[in-house]
Amino acid sequence: MKIKIINVISNQDRLNLIRTFCDDDLENEVENILKNILENGSYELKSMIKLFDLMDNSSNTENDLQISYTIGNRTIEVINTCEQLQEAMNTIQLAPFIGFDSEQKPTFKKGQADNGICLIQLATQSKCYLIQNKQIKNLKPLIDFLEDEKIIKIGTGLKGDNEALFRQFNIRAKSMIDLEDIFKKLSSKNQIGAKKAASIILNEKLQKSKNMSRSNWENEELTSGQIKYATEDATVVYDVMSEILKQYPFVMKMMPMFFQERYFEE
């Protein structure tokens, strides 16, 4: 019977036993053999190992040498009228996927009901839309967008967003992909949100201000700080997903089938 060594030792408990019962020379020998395999392996294998290493060491990747994340050359559109919303929804449907996030006016008293979503951020390669939904009377174009299974929305930590959308609009958004779930499928040992994802995938530092996150998102006119914070939250997930597919194409095989079909259509 032919023994597959990788199956024999690809178990953390067994690797620990090897370290316990074998001398340092043997462990170093195994390490050198694996390094040799990697050096002579395929591009796909090397990219997989690189991504696994980045995820495992995500707590150590962010440093002062990383440049600050920016939205790049995108234009920002603040949407607060029915006409603006309809035009934006007509345009955004052409993108292969959309970066998604939402904001609520915070509550500060225990047991106080939440204030509901008042800002929805949608990002494409060239634009970011900030939709002040509480200022718009007819939200049907937005609801249709959220319920359209052909339009893929990508965010991070989407459980709260989805629950809020259901409570507020009685809808279940379709074709939503959570970056945190993608990293879990890739066997990440750490929880990787937007900030860590920007660090390990883009090698950039996403600035997250707690004061800004707790600001009044129901302001009729958003401040420059709020606009910066809100746009970056949506664009960073778009940019991370784009870079993952570019640098680590094997990840595509782990994406939901509806994503693969839609992506290759484009």
Side-chain angles (χ1 to χ4, degrees):
M1 181 177 67
K2 187 176 181 180
I3 298 175
K4 288 190 175 181
I5 300 298
I6 193 170
N7 292 336
V8 173
I9 67 170
S10 60
N11 175 292
Q12 190 61 52
D13 292 334
R14 291 177 178 174
L15 290 174
N16 289 337
L17 284 173
I18 290 174
R19 292 189 177 96
T20 301
F21 295 111
C22 298
D23 56 33
D24 291 340
D25 289 340
L26 181 57
E27 184 173 348
N28 291 334
E29 183 181 350
V30 173
E31 181 73 17
N32 289 331
I33 290 172
L34 293 176
K35 283 183 178 178
N36 183 59
I37 292 172
L38 178 57
E39 288 172 359
N40 295 286
S42 65
Y43 171 79
E44 189 170 68
L45 175 61
K46 291 178 181 178
S47 67
M48 289 176 71
I49 299 300
K50 178 184 176 183
L51 181 55
F52 294 156
D53 182 57
L54 287 170
M55 291 191 302
D56 290 347
N57 295 284
S58 61
S59 299
N60 304 321
T61 53
E62 186 176 331
N63 59 68
D64 293 335
L65 297 178
Q66 289 183 326
I67 63 172
S68 295
Y69 172 79
T70 70
I71 67 169
N73 295 322
R74 290 180 175 91
T75 57
I76 302 169
E77 292 189 23
V78 179
I79 308 296
N80 49 33
T81 70
C82 298
E83 293 75 20
Q84 290 173 330
L85 179 62
Q86 184 64 69
E87 184 178 351
M89 294 302 96
N90 290 342
T91 304
I92 207 168
Q93 293 182 29
L94 302 176
F97 59 88
I98 310 296
F100 173 91
D101 194 32
S102 69
E103 305 292 345
Q104 300 184 37
K105 180 182 178 181
T107 58
F108 298 102
K109 293 182 180 180
K110 186 176 181 180
Q112 182 180 358
D114 68 63
N115 293 299
I117 293 172
C118 57
L119 185 71
I120 292 177
Q121 306 104 279
L122 305 174
T124 68
Q125 185 177 15
S126 60
K127 287 189 176 183
C128 186
Y129 302 94
L130 304 181
I131 302 171
Q132 296 179 291
N133 53 280
K134 287 193 174 183
Q135 298 186 33
I136 302 173
K137 292 182 179 180
N138 180 16
L139 291 173
K140 187 177 185 304
L142 177 62
I143 300 302
D144 290 345
F145 164 84
L146 293 170
E147 291 187 310
D148 192 336
E149 61 184 14
K150 294 181 180 178
I151 303 176
I152 298 164
K153 306 95 180 171
I154 296 179
T156 184
L158 290 177
K159 182 180 179 181
D161 300 89
N162 285 326
E163 290 175 350
L165 288 170
F166 182 74
R167 286 195 304 270
Q168 191 166 345
F169 303 114
N170 195 31
I171 64 169
R172 298 196 184 278
K174 303 286 198 319
S175 298
M176 300 281 273
I177 296 177
D178 196 323
L179 269 182
E180 290 186 11
D181 292 337
I182 299 301
F183 285 115
K184 286 178 183 177
K185 286 184 179 180
L186 289 165
S187 70
S188 175
K189 298 177 182 178
N190 306 304
Q191 182 177 2
I192 298 178
K195 189 172 184 178
K196 284 186 178 179
S199 179
I200 66 175
I201 301 299
L202 304 177
N203 193 28
E204 296 178 11
K205 184 185 294 187
L206 176 65
Q207 306 290 344
K208 298 282 285 184
S209 166
K210 287 186 178 180
N211 288 335
M212 197 57 63
S213 69
R214 296 169 181 169
S215 62
N216 183 5
W217 292 102
E218 291 188 1
N219 285 333
E220 185 173 346
E221 187 172 335
L222 297 173
T223 67
S224 59
Q226 286 179 314
I227 290 174
K228 179 180 184 297
Y229 182 100
T231 53
E232 289 180 354
D233 268 4
T235 60
V236 73
V237 289
Y238 182 97
D239 291 340
V240 166
M241 189 73 254
S242 297
E243 192 65 17
I244 286 175
L245 296 176
K246 178 182 177 182
Q247 295 292 332
Y248 312 103
F250 71 91
V251 174
M252 178 62 79
K253 299 174 184 177
M254 306 182 66
M255 299 298 289
M257 188 55 65
F258 68 81
F259 180 91
Q260 296 184 42
E261 292 173 352
R262 173 64 174 160
Y263 189 84
F264 288 118
E265 277 180 7
E266 298 297 320

